[in-house]
Amino acid sequence: TRDGMRLAATVLLLRDGRDGLETLMMRRPKRGSFADAWVWPGGAVEASDGGAVNHEHPAAERQVTSAAAVRELREETGLRVEASALHPYALWSPPQHSMPKFRTWFYIATEYCGTPRPQLSEVAELAWVRPDEMLAAHERAERTLIVPTWVTLWQLMQLGNSEAVLTHVANTPFEHYETRQVAEQRCYWFGDSQWQIDELGTASRPAARHRLETGERPWRYIRDFE
């Protein structure tokens, strides 16, 4: 571990439906981690995924997390994907006070096989959904989403289809979302002036924002820096 964090991985399966981009999501049971929340298949790295990891080498992290992603997808949904078909999308680290702490790699995949068979102990519901519909349901308080899921759905909605997502992944630097949090109403990441103050003690660009406002619905993702 690094800073007391465990590694985890999640898989965003994508397809293009009649009305736009769709992604396979699952609702967690009303107990345990992320109770009743809609998330993507995934979970913690286990010893069988490759053993100990040197966190100073991202390639080693990718190797074991991609193995975990393949395993978790198969266990939770019955679907199979090759590790070579996984495209790293983002890395999410929680606020320091979160327990337990997981550094979670998000992977995109458009090539997979098998018939969906949800693991009943881990999956209360499994469905192909459109990002815009899931965000609208969250706005109406009909669905529970956690911060990384909400932000990623918002980003997928902007991209619109699987080809655009893959082009984005191929041409955009891999991003690490090291989360800072103000009470329960705001999260912010690298590029935000408050993140810079917390991390470096000063902000070189005081007006810059990279944050999610969660005080009321709909949540607002604000990114005005490059």
Side-chain angles (χ1 to χ4, degrees), residues 16 21 45 62 198:
D16 293 311
L21 182 68
V45 168
R62 179 177 174 181
D198 286 358

Short mmCIF file of all heavy atoms in Angstrom, two decimals, residues 16 21 45 62 198:
data_model
loop_
_atom_site.label_atom_id
_atom_site.label_comp_id
_atom_site.label_asym_id
_atom_site.label_seq_id
_atom_site.Cartn_x
_atom_site.Cartn_y
_atom_site.Cartn_z
N ASP A 16 -22.65 1.35 -28.30
CA ASP A 16 -23.48 2.39 -28.89
C ASP A 16 -24.88 1.85 -29.12
O ASP A 16 -25.08 0.93 -29.93
CB ASP A 16 -22.87 2.87 -30.21
CG ASP A 16 -21.55 3.60 -29.99
OD1 ASP A 16 -21.52 4.49 -29.12
OD2 ASP A 16 -20.56 3.27 -30.67
N LEU A 21 -24.71 6.55 -26.52
CA LEU A 21 -23.77 5.75 -25.76
C LEU A 21 -24.44 5.07 -24.56
O LEU A 21 -25.23 5.70 -23.85
CB LEU A 21 -22.63 6.63 -25.26
CG LEU A 21 -21.51 5.94 -24.47
CD1 LEU A 21 -20.72 5.01 -25.38
CD2 LEU A 21 -20.58 6.99 -23.85
N VAL A 45 -7.72 -5.21 -5.61
CA VAL A 45 -6.70 -6.13 -6.10
C VAL A 45 -6.48 -7.23 -5.07
O VAL A 45 -6.41 -6.96 -3.87
CB VAL A 45 -5.39 -5.38 -6.39
CG1 VAL A 45 -4.24 -6.34 -6.61
CG2 VAL A 45 -5.57 -4.45 -7.58
N ARG A 62 -0.53 -0.85 -13.23
CA ARG A 62 -1.45 -1.14 -14.33
C ARG A 62 -1.58 -2.64 -14.56
O ARG A 62 -2.67 -3.15 -14.81
CB ARG A 62 -0.97 -0.44 -15.61
CG ARG A 62 -1.89 -0.74 -16.80
CD ARG A 62 -1.48 -0.01 -18.05
NE ARG A 62 -2.30 -0.44 -19.16
CZ ARG A 62 -2.17 0.00 -20.41
NH1 ARG A 62 -1.26 0.92 -20.68
NH2 ARG A 62 -2.94 -0.45 -21.37
N ASP A 198 -3.72 23.55 -0.65
CA ASP A 198 -3.61 22.41 0.26
C ASP A 198 -2.32 21.63 0.02
O ASP A 198 -1.67 21.15 0.95
CB ASP A 198 -4.81 21.47 0.09
CG ASP A 198 -6.07 22.05 0.69
OD1 ASP A 198 -6.00 23.15 1.27
OD2 ASP A 198 -7.13 21.41 0.58
#
